[in-house]
């Protein structure tokens, strides 16, 4: 359905007094349709919650449940005073699911966690490979260096197309972003980089906010999340949180490597997301979080003023 054409048609055939109310109802109907599609796709792709875990679970759903459970062991043993015994339900579920995940890379991590759980419950000993002592040697940045790093990162819309971006630099940024926290360490976020001028152009045409500087963008990233890595209705919004955290960490990593960026919001309907996935060759099971323009800023470039709120406007101290 072409909404724009429908609205134009309604305006042409309706009395002016009726147009406003009808258009409001139309927008509400469209919003409801989008919510229903979102919910249907999540229900169809996401996994079961703990109490409904089944042995025929597979793919991302299986990885999500196994990772969620073995991480419970890791963090349980990292507490100041771990319970003893603990994790009976976790062990039972992993014992049930691990035979299905025999050859998966995460399965070996889960088996080690089960062994560590047994070691703690039976002997009161913590496996250092599962919950190691933290490295406390990190030296905090000085106040000046910290302020410089955070305040020097601004959205850039004037890139130097003559400066190429190497795959090794993007790979390094992705590696740094892998440190992003995620729910139960499931690490569901993905990033797709595109550096070919034709690919960049095709992808950016799906997002209107870059039209004024599109021809100067040497690379673009699409941050997505694997929908199947989330379990049950209570986690339906967690993918947007984890994806947003990853996107911001990635941008900070790129900034630390000397690259400039501009977040390009993806506030689109489902049909537009489907079209982007097709162009970018992204799986339908991945939800799009944001696009990021990447490049080296041109000498003498300008930035938007973007006045920041005062701390008391957004932070409370209780």
């Amino acid at each position: 359905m072409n909404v724009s054409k429908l609205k134009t048609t309604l305006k042409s055939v309706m009395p002016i007094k009726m147009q406003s109310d009808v258009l409001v109802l139309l927008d509400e109907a469209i919003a409801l349709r989008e919510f229903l599609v979102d919910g249907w796709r999540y229900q169809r792709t996401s996994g079961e919650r703990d109490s409904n875990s089944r042995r025929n679970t597979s793919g991302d759903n299986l990885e999500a449940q196994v990772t969620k459970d073995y991480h419970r062991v890791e963090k349980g043993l990292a507490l100041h005073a771990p319970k003893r015994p603990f994790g009976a339900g976790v062990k039972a579920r992993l014992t049930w699911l691990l035979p299905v995940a025999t050859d998966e890379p995460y399965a070996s991590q889960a088996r080690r966690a089960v062994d560590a759980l047994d070691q703690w419950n039976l002997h009161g000993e913590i496996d250092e490979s599962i919950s190691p002592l933290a490295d406390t040697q990190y030296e905090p940045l000085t106040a000046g260096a910290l302020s410089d790093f955070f305040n020097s990162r601004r959205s850039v819309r004037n890139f130097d197309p003559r400066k190429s971006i190497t795959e090794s630099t993007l790979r390094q940024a992705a590696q740094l972003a892998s440190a992003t926290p995620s729910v139960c360490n499931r690490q569901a976020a993905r990033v797709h980089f595109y550096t070919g001028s034709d690919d960049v152009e095709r992808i950016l045409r799906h997002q209107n906010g870059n039209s004024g500087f599109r021809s100067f963008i040497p690379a673009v990233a699409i941050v997505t999340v694997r929908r199947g890595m989330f379990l049950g209705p209570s986690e339906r919004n967690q993918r947007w949180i984890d994806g947003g955290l990853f996107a911001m960490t990635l941008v900070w990593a790129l900034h630390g490597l000397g690259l400039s960026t501009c977040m390009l919001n993806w506030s689109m309907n489902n049909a537009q997301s489907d079209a982007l996935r097709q162009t970018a060759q992204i799986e339908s099971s991945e939800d799009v979080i944001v696009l990021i323009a990447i490049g080296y800023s041109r000498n003498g470039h300008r930035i938007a003023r973007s006045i920041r709120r005062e701390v008391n406007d957004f932070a409370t101290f209780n």
Side-chain angles (χ1 to χ4, degrees):
M1 177 176 62
N2 189 311
V3 176
S4 179
K5 288 183 178 179
L6 179 57
K7 286 184 176 181
T8 301
T9 302
L10 288 173
K11 287 180 180 179
S12 67
V13 299
M14 282 189 161
I16 294 177
K17 290 182 179 180
M18 294 179 60
Q19 288 181 14
S20 178
D21 290 341
V22 171
L23 292 176
V24 167
L25 288 173
L26 178 61
D27 283 340
E28 290 177 351
I30 293 168
L32 178 59
R33 181 193 64 180
E34 292 297 319
F35 279 121
L36 290 172
V37 173
D38 288 341
W40 177 76
R41 287 183 174 181
Y42 179 75
Q43 184 64 27
R44 188 164 161 258
T45 312
S46 63
E48 303 284 354
R49 54 189 174 184
D50 291 351
S51 58
N52 295 336
S53 293
R54 295 174 294 183
R55 202 165 187 173
N56 62 352
T57 299
S58 62
D60 284 352
N61 297 165
L62 178 61
E63 180 180 352
Q65 185 62 64
V66 171
T67 303
K68 179 180 182 180
D69 277 331
Y70 84 67
H71 186 61
R72 283 168 162 156
V73 177
E74 295 173 336
K75 64 186 182 182
L77 293 175
L79 296 174
H80 174 66
K83 289 182 179 180
R84 183 172 172 228
F86 82 94
V90 167
K91 181 179 178 180
R93 207 160 33 247
L94 287 175
T95 302
W96 175 254
L97 292 174
L98 277 174
V100 187
T102 304
D103 300 323
E104 298 294 345
Y106 56 84
S108 61
Q109 303 298 331
R111 291 189 189 93
R112 289 173 64 187
V114 171
D115 290 342
L117 182 62
D118 286 340
Q119 180 176 315
W120 169 255
N121 286 337
L122 295 174
H123 307 293
E125 300 171 354
I126 294 179
D127 185 335
E128 294 293 330
S129 69
I130 297 298
S131 298
L133 290 172
D135 180 2
T136 57
Q137 302 304 309
Y138 172 73
E139 289 291 334
L141 296 176
T142 65
L146 191 63
S147 178
D148 287 345
F149 178 74
F150 277 90
N151 291 327
S152 61
R153 191 268 147 196
R154 303 296 296 270
S155 293
V156 170
R157 297 171 176 83
N158 190 356
F159 299 102
D160 189 340
R162 297 168 297 179
K163 295 182 179 179
S164 60
I165 303 169
T166 64
E167 180 179 322
S168 62
T169 301
L170 296 177
R171 187 175 292 274
Q172 187 178 0
Q175 180 63 53
L176 292 168
S178 71
T180 305
S182 61
V183 61
C184 296
N185 196 38
R186 277 176 248 167
Q187 303 176 65
R190 300 195 73 191
V191 58
H192 305 268
F193 292 109
Y194 305 86
T195 55
S197 57
D198 290 341
D199 287 338
V200 171
E201 169 76 14
R202 282 195 295 270
I203 288 165
L204 290 174
R205 285 192 175 279
H206 289 273
Q207 203 273 352
N208 293 328
N210 66 86
S211 58
F213 61 106
R214 183 179 300 155
S215 60
F216 298 109
I217 299 174
V220 64
I222 304 177
V223 175
T224 66
V225 286
R226 293 153 62 192
R227 196 182 311 123
M229 291 295 288
F230 300 91
L231 306 169
S234 64
E235 291 188 357
R236 67 191 184 280
N237 294 322
Q238 188 64 41
R239 50 197 160 133
W240 312 115
I241 298 167
D242 283 14
L245 288 170
F246 179 87
M248 195 65 250
T249 306
L250 177 64
V251 164
W252 285 124
L254 291 165
H255 177 54
L257 294 169
L259 284 159
S260 296
T261 55
C262 185
M263 292 282 204
L264 304 172
N265 78 77
W266 190 251
S267 300
M268 303 292 186
N269 61 36
N270 283 286
Q272 291 167 313
S273 291
D274 290 341
L276 175 66
R277 290 189 194 95
Q278 184 174 9
T279 297
Q281 297 184 328
I282 292 173
E283 295 289 336
S284 61
S285 57
E286 295 180 34
D287 285 314
V288 180
I289 301 298
V290 68
L291 277 62
I292 305 171
I294 305 170
Y296 291 99
S297 56
R298 193 189 298 267
N299 288 338
H301 71 283
R302 295 181 183 274
I303 56 175
R305 181 178 58 170
S306 300
I307 300 298
R308 300 301 171 183
R309 293 180 183 273
E310 295 293 331
V311 171
N312 287 339
D313 283 346
F314 61 86
T316 63
F317 305 90
N318 304 304

